[in-house]
Amino acid sequence: MSLIDLGAHLAADNCLWCIGGMSPAGIHDDLGPVLSLCPTQRWCDECQGLSLFPAEYETLDDRVNELLDDGYAAVWCSDCMGVVAVIPVTNDGGIR
């Protein structure tokens, strides 16, 4: 599943938590404002719905590049493509 798959057919119109299948999840130290998958539904078996999605960027590539510039890398859920962790990297690309 990817964010592209989240459409009207997956988001309940009467759900108080849903904004297009997503729900505000606060402000992450490295990702900024983030969304999570709607907590009223089970979306992802791999991360159990714990992945976060940056809310203020046109594309995830923009945020990934900014993270790399700051010395961090995002770890992605291979099922829903959300961010499950942000880890520091060294100057030569290795994990600290």
Side-chain angles (χ1 to χ4, degrees):
M1 183 183 87
S2 72
L3 288 178
I4 295 169
D5 297 325
L6 295 177
H9 65 290
L10 293 176
D13 290 335
N14 60 352
C15 178
L16 298 176
W17 292 97
C18 279
I19 302 171
M22 307 293 275
S23 177
I27 300 175
H28 186 274
D29 289 341
D30 300 310
L31 299 173
V34 291
L35 301 169
S36 64
L37 297 171
C38 178
T40 65
Q41 300 183 44
R42 184 161 177 101
W43 297 95
C44 180
D45 291 327
E46 185 173 324
C47 71
Q48 309 305 316
L50 297 177
S51 290
L52 299 174
F53 301 85
E56 290 188 338
Y57 292 89
E58 285 293 318
T59 67
L60 290 177
D61 290 343
D62 293 339
R63 188 62 194 126
V64 168
N65 289 330
E66 283 188 15
L67 281 172
L68 288 173
D69 288 344
D70 293 337
Y72 295 98
V75 178
W76 306 94
C77 173
S78 63
D79 190 22
C80 69
M81 295 307 294
V83 177
V84 293
V86 176
I87 58 173
V89 294
T90 62
N91 290 337
D92 59 2
I95 297 173
R96 287 185 191 164

Coordinates of all heavy atoms in Angstrom, one line a residue:
M1 N 0.8 -1.2 0.0 CA 0.0 0.0 0.0 C 0.9 1.2 0.0 O 1.9 1.3 0.6 CB -0.9 0.0 1.2 CG -1.8 1.2 1.3 SD -2.8 1.2 2.8 CE -1.6 2.2 3.8
S2 N 0.5 2.3 -0.7 CA 1.2 3.5 -0.6 C 0.1 4.6 -0.4 O -1.1 4.4 -0.4 CB 1.9 3.8 -2.0 OG 1.0 4.0 -3.0
L3 N 0.6 5.9 -0.2 CA -0.3 7.0 0.0 C -1.2 7.2 -1.2 O -2.3 7.7 -1.1 CB 0.5 8.3 0.3 CG 1.2 8.3 1.6 CD1 2.0 9.6 1.8 CD2 0.1 8.2 2.7
I4 N -0.7 6.8 -2.4 CA -1.5 6.9 -3.6 C -2.8 6.1 -3.5 O -3.8 6.5 -4.0 CB -0.7 6.5 -4.9 CG1 0.4 7.5 -5.1 CG2 -1.6 6.5 -6.1 CD1 1.5 7.1 -6.1
D5 N -2.7 5.0 -2.8 CA -3.8 4.1 -2.6 C -4.9 4.7 -1.6 O -6.0 4.2 -1.6 CB -3.4 2.8 -2.0 CG -2.5 2.0 -3.0 OD1 -2.7 2.1 -4.2 OD2 -1.6 1.3 -2.5
L6 N -4.5 5.7 -0.9 CA -5.5 6.3 0.1 C -6.5 7.2 -0.7 O -6.1 8.3 -1.0 CB -4.8 7.1 1.2 CG -3.9 6.2 2.1 CD1 -3.2 7.2 3.1 CD2 -4.7 5.2 2.8
G7 N -7.6 6.7 -0.9 CA -8.6 7.5 -1.6 C -9.9 7.5 -0.9 O -10.0 7.0 0.2
A8 N -10.9 8.1 -1.5 CA -12.2 8.2 -0.9 C -12.8 6.8 -0.5 O -13.5 6.6 0.4 CB -13.2 8.9 -1.8
H9 N -12.4 5.8 -1.3 CA -12.9 4.5 -1.0 C -12.3 3.9 0.3 O -12.8 2.9 0.8 CB -12.6 3.5 -2.2 CG -11.2 3.3 -2.5 ND1 -10.3 4.3 -3.0 CD2 -10.4 2.2 -2.3 CE1 -9.1 3.8 -3.1 NE2 -9.1 2.6 -2.7
L10 N -11.2 4.4 0.8 CA -10.6 3.9 2.0 C -10.9 4.8 3.2 O -10.7 4.4 4.4 CB -9.1 3.8 1.8 CG -8.6 2.8 0.8 CD1 -7.1 2.8 0.7 CD2 -9.0 1.4 1.2
A11 N -11.2 6.0 3.0 CA -11.5 7.0 4.1 C -13.0 7.1 4.4 O -13.7 7.5 3.5 CB -10.8 8.3 3.8
A12 N -13.4 6.8 5.6 CA -14.8 7.0 5.9 C -15.2 8.4 5.9 O -14.5 9.2 6.6 CB -15.1 6.3 7.2
D13 N -16.2 8.8 5.2 CA -16.7 10.2 5.2 C -17.1 10.7 6.5 O -17.0 11.9 6.9 CB -17.8 10.4 4.2 CG -17.3 10.2 2.8 OD1 -16.1 10.5 2.5 OD2 -18.2 9.8 1.9
N14 N -17.6 9.8 7.4 CA -18.2 10.2 8.7 C -17.1 10.1 9.8 O -17.5 10.3 11.0 CB -19.4 9.4 9.0 CG -19.2 7.9 9.1 OD1 -18.1 7.5 8.7 ND2 -20.2 7.2 9.5
C15 N -15.9 9.7 9.5 CA -14.9 9.6 10.5 C -14.3 10.9 11.0 O -13.9 11.7 10.2 CB -13.7 8.7 9.9 SG -12.4 8.5 11.1
L16 N -14.4 11.2 12.3 CA -14.0 12.4 12.8 C -12.5 12.6 12.8 O -11.9 13.7 13.0 CB -14.5 12.6 14.3 CG -16.0 12.6 14.4 CD1 -16.4 12.6 15.9 CD2 -16.6 13.8 13.7
W17 N -11.7 11.5 12.6 CA -10.3 11.5 12.6 C -9.7 11.7 11.2 O -8.5 12.2 11.1 CB -9.7 10.2 13.2 CG -9.9 10.1 14.6 CD1 -11.0 9.4 15.2 CD2 -9.2 10.7 15.7 NE1 -10.9 9.5 16.6 CE2 -9.8 10.3 16.9 CE3 -8.1 11.5 15.8 CZ2 -9.4 10.7 18.2 CZ3 -7.6 11.9 17.0 CH2 -8.3 11.5 18.2
C18 N -10.4 11.4 10.2 CA -9.9 11.4 8.8 C -9.8 12.7 8.2 O -10.7 13.5 8.2 CB -10.7 10.5 7.9 SG -10.4 8.7 8.1
I19 N -8.6 13.0 7.6 CA -8.5 14.0 6.6 C -7.9 13.3 5.4 O -6.7 13.1 5.3 CB -7.5 15.1 7.1 CG1 -8.0 15.7 8.4 CG2 -7.3 16.2 6.1 CD1 -7.0 16.6 9.1
G20 N -8.8 12.8 4.5 CA -8.3 12.0 3.4 C -7.6 10.8 3.8 O -6.6 10.4 3.2
G21 N -8.1 10.1 4.9 CA -7.5 8.9 5.3 C -6.3 9.1 6.3 O -5.7 8.1 6.8
M22 N -6.0 10.3 6.6 CA -4.8 10.7 7.5 C -5.4 11.4 8.7 O -6.5 12.0 8.7 CB -3.8 11.5 6.8 CG -3.3 11.0 5.4 SD -2.4 9.5 5.7 CE -0.8 10.2 6.0
S23 N -4.6 11.4 9.8 CA -4.9 12.1 11.0 C -3.7 12.9 11.5 O -2.6 12.4 11.4 CB -5.3 11.1 12.0 OG -5.6 11.7 13.2
P24 N -3.9 14.1 12.0 CA -2.8 14.9 12.5 C -2.1 14.1 13.7 O -2.8 13.5 14.5 CB -3.4 16.2 13.1 CG -4.7 16.3 12.3 CD -5.2 14.9 12.0
A25 N -0.8 14.1 13.7 CA -0.1 13.3 14.7 C 0.9 14.1 15.5 O 1.8 13.6 16.2 CB 0.6 12.1 14.0
G26 N 0.9 15.5 15.4 CA 1.8 16.3 16.1 C 3.0 16.8 15.3 O 2.9 16.9 14.1
I27 N 4.0 17.2 16.1 CA 5.2 17.8 15.4 C 6.4 16.9 15.9 O 6.7 16.8 17.0 CB 5.4 19.3 15.8 CG1 4.2 20.1 15.4 CG2 6.7 19.8 15.3 CD1 4.3 21.5 15.8
H28 N 7.0 16.3 14.9 CA 8.2 15.4 15.1 C 9.4 16.3 15.1 O 9.5 17.3 14.3 CB 8.3 14.4 14.0 CG 9.3 13.4 14.2 ND1 10.6 13.6 13.8 CD2 9.3 12.2 14.7 CE1 11.3 12.5 14.0 NE2 10.6 11.6 14.7
D29 N 10.4 16.0 15.9 CA 11.6 16.8 16.0 C 12.4 17.0 14.7 O 12.9 18.1 14.4 CB 12.6 16.3 17.1 CG 12.1 16.4 18.5 OD1 11.2 17.3 18.7 OD2 12.6 15.7 19.4
D30 N 12.4 16.0 13.9 CA 13.2 16.0 12.6 C 12.3 16.2 11.4 O 12.7 16.7 10.4 CB 14.0 14.7 12.5 CG 15.0 14.6 13.6 OD1 15.7 15.5 13.9 OD2 15.0 13.5 14.2
L31 N 11.0 15.7 11.5 CA 10.2 15.7 10.3 C 9.2 16.9 10.3 O 8.6 17.2 9.3 CB 9.3 14.4 10.3 CG 10.1 13.1 10.1 CD1 9.1 11.9 10.3 CD2 10.8 13.1 8.8
G32 N 9.1 17.6 11.4 CA 8.2 18.7 11.5 C 6.8 18.2 11.7 O 6.6 17.1 12.2
P33 N 5.8 19.0 11.2 CA 4.4 18.5 11.4 C 4.2 17.2 10.6 O 4.6 17.1 9.5 CB 3.6 19.6 10.7 CG 4.4 20.8 10.8 CD 5.8 20.3 10.7
V34 N 3.5 16.3 11.3 CA 3.3 14.9 10.7 C 1.9 14.5 10.8 O 1.1 14.9 11.6 CB 4.3 13.9 11.3 CG1 5.7 14.1 11.0 CG2 4.1 13.8 12.8
L35 N 1.6 13.6 9.9 CA 0.3 12.9 9.9 C 0.5 11.4 10.1 O 1.6 10.9 9.8 CB -0.4 13.1 8.5 CG -0.7 14.5 8.1 CD1 -1.1 14.6 6.6 CD2 -1.7 15.2 8.9
S36 N -0.5 10.8 10.6 CA -0.4 9.3 10.7 C -1.7 8.8 9.9 O -2.6 9.5 9.6 CB -0.4 8.8 12.1 OG -1.7 9.2 12.8
L37 N -1.7 7.5 9.6 CA -2.8 6.9 9.0 C -4.0 6.9 10.0 O -3.8 6.8 11.3 CB -2.5 5.4 8.6 CG -1.4 5.3 7.5 CD1 -1.0 3.9 7.3 CD2 -1.9 5.9 6.2
C38 N -5.2 7.1 9.6 CA -6.3 7.2 10.4 C -6.3 6.1 11.5 O -6.2 4.9 11.2 CB -7.6 7.1 9.6 SG -9.1 7.2 10.7
P39 N -6.4 6.4 12.8 CA -6.3 5.4 13.9 C -7.6 4.6 14.0 O -7.5 3.6 14.7 CB -6.1 6.3 15.1 CG -6.8 7.6 14.8 CD -6.6 7.8 13.3
T40 N -8.6 4.8 13.3 CA -9.8 4.0 13.4 C -9.8 2.8 12.5 O -10.7 2.0 12.5 CB -11.1 4.9 13.1 OG1 -11.1 5.3 11.7 CG2 -11.2 6.1 14.0
Q41 N -8.8 2.7 11.6 CA -8.7 1.6 10.7 C -7.3 1.0 10.8 O -6.4 1.7 11.1 CB -9.0 2.1 9.2 CG -10.4 2.7 9.1 CD -10.6 3.1 7.7 OE1 -10.4 2.3 6.8 NE2 -11.2 4.3 7.5
R42 N -7.2 -0.3 10.4 CA -5.9 -0.9 10.4 C -5.4 -0.9 8.9 O -6.0 -1.5 8.0 CB -6.1 -2.4 10.8 CG -4.8 -3.1 10.9 CD -4.9 -4.3 11.8 NE -3.6 -5.0 11.8 CZ -2.8 -4.9 12.8 NH1 -3.1 -4.2 13.8 NH2 -1.7 -5.6 12.8
W43 N -4.4 -0.2 8.7 CA -3.9 0.1 7.4 C -2.7 -0.8 7.0 O -2.6 -1.3 5.9 CB -3.4 1.5 7.2 CG -4.5 2.5 7.3 CD1 -4.9 3.2 8.5 CD2 -5.4 2.9 6.3 NE1 -5.9 4.0 8.2 CE2 -6.3 3.9 6.9 CE3 -5.6 2.6 5.0 CZ2 -7.3 4.5 6.2 CZ3 -6.6 3.2 4.3 CH2 -7.4 4.2 4.9
C44 N -1.7 -1.0 7.9 CA -0.5 -1.6 7.6 C -0.1 -2.6 8.6 O 0.0 -2.3 9.8 CB 0.6 -0.5 7.5 SG 2.2 -1.1 7.1
D45 N 0.1 -3.8 8.2 CA 0.5 -4.9 9.1 C 2.0 -4.9 9.4 O 2.4 -5.4 10.4 CB 0.2 -6.3 8.4 CG -1.3 -6.5 8.4 OD1 -2.1 -6.0 9.3 OD2 -1.8 -7.2 7.4
E46 N 2.8 -4.3 8.6 CA 4.2 -4.2 8.9 C 4.6 -3.3 10.0 O 5.3 -3.7 10.9 CB 5.0 -3.8 7.6 CG 6.5 -3.9 7.8 CD 7.3 -3.7 6.5 OE1 6.8 -4.1 5.5 OE2 8.4 -3.1 6.6
C47 N 4.1 -2.0 10.0 CA 4.5 -1.1 11.0 C 3.4 -0.9 12.0 O 3.5 -0.1 13.0 CB 4.8 0.3 10.4 SG 3.4 1.2 9.7
Q48 N 2.3 -1.6 11.9 CA 1.1 -1.6 12.8 C 0.5 -0.2 12.8 O -0.1 0.2 13.8 CB 1.5 -2.0 14.2 CG 2.2 -3.3 14.3 CD 1.4 -4.5 13.6 OE1 0.2 -4.6 13.8 NE2 2.1 -5.3 12.8
G49 N 0.7 0.6 11.7 CA 0.1 1.9 11.6 C 0.9 3.0 12.4 O 0.4 4.1 12.6
L50 N 2.1 2.7 12.7 CA 2.9 3.6 13.5 C 3.7 4.6 12.7 O 4.4 5.5 13.2 CB 3.8 2.9 14.5 CG 3.1 2.0 15.5 CD1 4.1 1.3 16.4 CD2 2.2 2.9 16.4
S51 N 3.8 4.4 11.4 CA 4.5 5.3 10.5 C 4.0 6.7 10.5 O 2.8 6.9 10.7 CB 4.5 4.8 9.0 OG 5.2 3.6 8.9
L52 N 4.9 7.6 10.3 CA 4.5 9.1 10.2 C 4.7 9.6 8.8 O 5.6 9.1 8.0 CB 5.3 9.9 11.2 CG 5.2 9.5 12.6 CD1 6.2 10.3 13.5 CD2 3.7 9.8 13.1
F53 N 4.0 10.6 8.4 CA 4.1 11.2 7.0 C 4.2 12.7 7.2 O 3.4 13.3 7.8 CB 2.8 10.8 6.2 CG 2.6 9.4 6.1 CD1 1.9 8.7 7.1 CD2 3.0 8.7 5.0 CE1 1.7 7.3 7.0 CE2 2.8 7.3 4.9 CZ 2.1 6.6 5.9
P54 N 5.4 13.3 6.7 CA 5.5 14.7 6.8 C 4.4 15.4 6.1 O 3.9 15.1 5.0 CB 6.8 14.9 6.0 CG 7.6 13.6 6.1 CD 6.5 12.6 6.0
A55 N 3.9 16.5 6.8 CA 2.7 17.2 6.3 C 3.0 18.4 5.5 O 2.1 18.9 4.8 CB 1.8 17.6 7.5
E56 N 4.2 19.0 5.5 CA 4.4 20.3 4.9 C 5.3 20.3 3.7 O 5.9 21.3 3.4 CB 5.0 21.2 5.9 CG 4.1 21.6 7.0 CD 4.7 22.7 7.9 OE1 5.9 22.9 7.9 OE2 3.9 23.4 8.6
Y57 N 5.3 19.2 2.9 CA 6.2 19.1 1.8 C 5.5 18.7 0.6 O 4.6 17.8 0.7 CB 7.4 18.2 2.1 CG 8.3 18.8 3.1 CD1 8.1 18.5 4.5 CD2 9.3 19.6 2.7 CE1 8.9 19.1 5.4 CE2 10.1 20.2 3.7 CZ 9.9 20.0 5.0 OH 10.7 20.6 6.0
E58 N 5.8 19.2 -0.6 CA 5.2 18.8 -1.8 C 5.5 17.3 -2.1 O 4.6 16.6 -2.5 CB 5.8 19.6 -3.0 CG 5.3 21.0 -3.1 CD 3.8 21.1 -3.4 OE1 3.4 20.3 -4.3 OE2 3.1 21.9 -2.8
T59 N 6.7 16.9 -1.9 CA 7.1 15.5 -2.1 C 7.9 15.0 -1.0 O 8.6 15.8 -0.3 CB 7.8 15.3 -3.4 OG1 9.1 15.9 -3.3 CG2 7.1 15.8 -4.6
L60 N 7.9 13.7 -0.7 CA 8.8 13.2 0.3 C 10.2 13.3 -0.1 O 11.1 13.4 0.8 CB 8.5 11.7 0.5 CG 7.1 11.4 1.2 CD1 6.9 9.9 1.3 CD2 7.0 12.0 2.6
D61 N 10.5 13.4 -1.4 CA 11.9 13.6 -1.8 C 12.5 14.9 -1.2 O 13.6 15.0 -0.8 CB 12.0 13.7 -3.3 CG 11.8 12.3 -4.0 OD1 11.9 11.3 -3.3 OD2 11.6 12.3 -5.2
D62 N 11.6 16.0 -1.2 CA 12.1 17.3 -0.6 C 12.5 17.1 0.9 O 13.5 17.6 1.3 CB 10.9 18.3 -0.6 CG 10.6 18.7 -2.0 OD1 11.4 18.5 -3.0 OD2 9.4 19.2 -2.2
R63 N 11.7 16.4 1.6 CA 12.0 16.2 3.1 C 13.2 15.2 3.2 O 14.1 15.5 4.1 CB 10.8 15.6 3.8 CG 11.0 15.6 5.3 CD 11.3 17.0 5.8 NE 11.8 17.0 7.2 CZ 12.9 17.6 7.5 NH1 13.6 18.3 6.7 NH2 13.3 17.6 8.8
V64 N 13.3 14.2 2.4 CA 14.5 13.3 2.5 C 15.8 14.0 2.2 O 16.7 13.9 3.0 CB 14.3 12.1 1.5 CG1 15.6 11.3 1.3 CG2 13.1 11.2 1.9
N65 N 15.8 14.9 1.2 CA 17.0 15.7 0.9 C 17.3 16.6 2.0 O 18.5 16.8 2.3 CB 16.8 16.4 -0.4 CG 16.8 15.4 -1.6 OD1 17.5 14.4 -1.5 ND2 16.1 15.8 -2.6
E66 N 16.3 17.2 2.6 CA 16.6 18.1 3.8 C 17.2 17.3 5.0 O 18.1 17.8 5.7 CB 15.4 18.9 4.2 CG 15.0 20.0 3.2 CD 13.9 20.9 3.7 OE1 13.6 20.8 4.9 OE2 13.4 21.7 2.9
L67 N 16.6 16.2 5.2 CA 17.1 15.3 6.3 C 18.6 15.0 6.0 O 19.4 15.0 6.9 CB 16.3 14.0 6.4 CG 15.0 14.1 7.2 CD1 14.2 12.8 7.0 CD2 15.2 14.5 8.6
L68 N 18.9 14.6 4.8 CA 20.3 14.2 4.5 C 21.2 15.4 4.6 O 22.3 15.3 5.1 CB 20.4 13.7 3.0 CG 19.8 12.3 2.8 CD1 19.8 11.9 1.4 CD2 20.6 11.2 3.7
D69 N 20.8 16.6 4.3 CA 21.6 17.8 4.5 C 21.8 18.1 5.9 O 22.9 18.6 6.3 CB 20.8 19.0 3.9 CG 20.8 19.0 2.4 OD1 21.6 18.3 1.7 OD2 20.0 19.8 1.8
D70 N 20.9 17.6 6.8 CA 21.1 17.8 8.3 C 21.8 16.6 8.9 O 22.0 16.6 10.1 CB 19.7 18.0 8.9 CG 19.0 19.3 8.5 OD1 19.8 20.2 8.1 OD2 17.8 19.4 8.7
G71 N 22.2 15.6 8.1 CA 22.9 14.5 8.7 C 22.0 13.4 9.2 O 22.5 12.5 10.0
Y72 N 20.8 13.3 8.7 CA 19.9 12.2 9.1 C 19.3 11.5 7.9 O 19.3 12.0 6.8 CB 18.7 12.8 9.9 CG 19.1 13.4 11.2 CD1 19.3 14.8 11.3 CD2 19.3 12.6 12.3 CE1 19.7 15.4 12.5 CE2 19.7 13.2 13.5 CZ 19.9 14.6 13.6 OH 20.3 15.1 14.8
A73 N 18.9 10.2 8.1 CA 18.3 9.5 7.1 C 16.9 8.9 7.6 O 16.8 8.6 8.8 CB 19.1 8.3 6.6
A74 N 16.0 8.8 6.7 CA 14.7 8.2 7.1 C 14.7 6.7 6.8 O 15.2 6.3 5.8 CB 13.6 8.9 6.3
V75 N 14.0 6.0 7.7 CA 13.8 4.6 7.6 C 12.3 4.4 7.2 O 11.5 4.9 8.0 CB 14.2 3.8 8.8 CG1 13.9 2.3 8.6 CG2 15.6 4.0 9.2
W76 N 12.1 3.7 6.1 CA 10.7 3.7 5.6 C 10.1 2.3 5.8 O 10.7 1.3 5.8 CB 10.7 3.9 4.1 CG 11.4 5.1 3.6 CD1 12.7 5.2 3.3 CD2 10.8 6.4 3.6 NE1 13.0 6.6 3.0 CE2 11.8 7.3 3.2 CE3 9.6 6.9 3.9 CZ2 11.6 8.7 3.0 CZ3 9.4 8.3 3.7 CH2 10.4 9.2 3.3
C77 N 8.8 2.3 6.1 CA 8.0 1.1 6.1 C 7.8 0.6 4.6 O 7.4 1.4 3.8 CB 6.6 1.3 6.7 SG 5.5 -0.1 6.7
S78 N 8.2 -0.6 4.3 CA 8.1 -1.1 3.0 C 6.7 -1.3 2.5 O 6.5 -1.5 1.3 CB 9.0 -2.3 2.8 OG 8.5 -3.4 3.6
D79 N 5.7 -1.3 3.4 CA 4.4 -1.6 3.0 C 3.6 -0.3 2.8 O 3.1 -0.1 1.7 CB 3.7 -2.4 4.1 CG 2.3 -2.9 3.7 OD1 2.0 -3.0 2.5 OD2 1.5 -3.2 4.6
C80 N 3.6 0.6 3.8 CA 2.8 1.9 3.6 C 3.6 3.1 3.2 O 3.1 4.1 2.9 CB 2.0 2.2 4.9 SG 3.1 2.7 6.3
M81 N 5.0 2.9 3.2 CA 5.9 3.9 2.8 C 5.9 5.1 3.7 O 6.3 6.2 3.3 CB 5.7 4.4 1.3 CG 5.9 3.3 0.3 SD 7.5 2.5 0.4 CE 8.6 3.9 0.0
G82 N 5.5 4.9 5.0 CA 5.7 6.0 6.0 C 7.0 5.9 6.6 O 7.8 4.9 6.5
V83 N 7.4 6.9 7.4 CA 8.7 7.0 8.1 C 8.5 6.3 9.4 O 7.7 6.7 10.2 CB 9.1 8.4 8.3 CG1 10.4 8.5 9.0 CG2 9.3 9.1 6.9
V84 N 9.3 5.3 9.7 CA 9.3 4.6 10.9 C 10.4 5.0 11.9 O 10.3 4.8 13.1 CB 9.3 3.0 10.8 CG1 8.0 2.5 10.1 CG2 10.5 2.6 10.0
A85 N 11.4 5.6 11.4 CA 12.5 6.1 12.2 C 13.4 7.1 11.4 O 13.4 7.1 10.2 CB 13.4 4.9 12.6
V86 N 14.0 8.0 12.2 CA 15.0 8.9 11.6 C 16.3 8.6 12.4 O 16.3 8.7 13.6 CB 14.5 10.4 11.8 CG1 15.6 11.3 11.3 CG2 13.2 10.6 11.1
I87 N 17.3 8.3 11.6 CA 18.6 7.9 12.2 C 19.7 8.9 11.7 O 19.7 9.3 10.6 CB 19.0 6.5 11.9 CG1 19.1 6.2 10.4 CG2 18.0 5.5 12.5 CD1 19.6 4.9 10.0
P88 N 20.7 9.1 12.6 CA 21.9 10.0 12.1 C 22.8 9.2 11.2 O 22.9 8.0 11.3 CB 22.6 10.3 13.4 CG 22.1 9.2 14.4 CD 20.8 8.7 14.0
V89 N 23.4 9.9 10.3 CA 24.4 9.3 9.4 C 25.7 10.1 9.5 O 25.7 11.2 9.9 CB 23.9 9.3 7.9 CG1 22.8 8.4 7.7 CG2 23.6 10.7 7.4
T90 N 26.8 9.4 9.2 CA 28.1 10.1 9.2 C 28.3 10.9 7.9 O 27.5 10.7 7.0 CB 29.2 9.1 9.4 OG1 29.3 8.2 8.3 CG2 29.1 8.4 10.7
N91 N 29.4 11.6 7.8 CA 29.6 12.4 6.6 C 29.9 11.5 5.4 O 29.6 11.9 4.3 CB 30.9 13.3 6.8 CG 30.6 14.4 7.7 OD1 29.4 14.8 7.9 ND2 31.6 15.0 8.4
D92 N 30.4 10.3 5.6 CA 30.6 9.4 4.5 C 29.4 8.5 4.2 O 29.6 7.5 3.4 CB 31.9 8.6 4.6 CG 31.9 7.8 5.9 OD1 30.9 7.7 6.6 OD2 32.9 7.1 6.1
G93 N 28.3 8.7 4.8 CA 27.1 7.9 4.5 C 26.9 6.7 5.4 O 25.8 6.1 5.3
G94 N 27.8 6.4 6.3 CA 27.6 5.3 7.2 C 26.7 5.7 8.4 O 26.6 6.8 8.8
I95 N 26.1 4.7 9.1 CA 25.3 4.9 10.3 C 26.3 5.2 11.4 O 27.3 4.5 11.6 CB 24.4 3.8 10.5 CG1 23.4 3.6 9.4 CG2 23.7 3.9 11.9 CD1 22.6 2.4 9.5
R96 N 26.0 6.2 12.2 CA 26.8 6.5 13.4 C 26.7 5.4 14.5 O 25.7 4.9 14.7 CB 26.4 7.8 14.0 CG 26.8 9.0 13.2 CD 26.5 10.3 13.9 NE 26.7 11.4 13.0 CZ 26.2 12.6 13.2 NH1 25.5 12.8 14.3 NH2 26.4 13.5 12.3

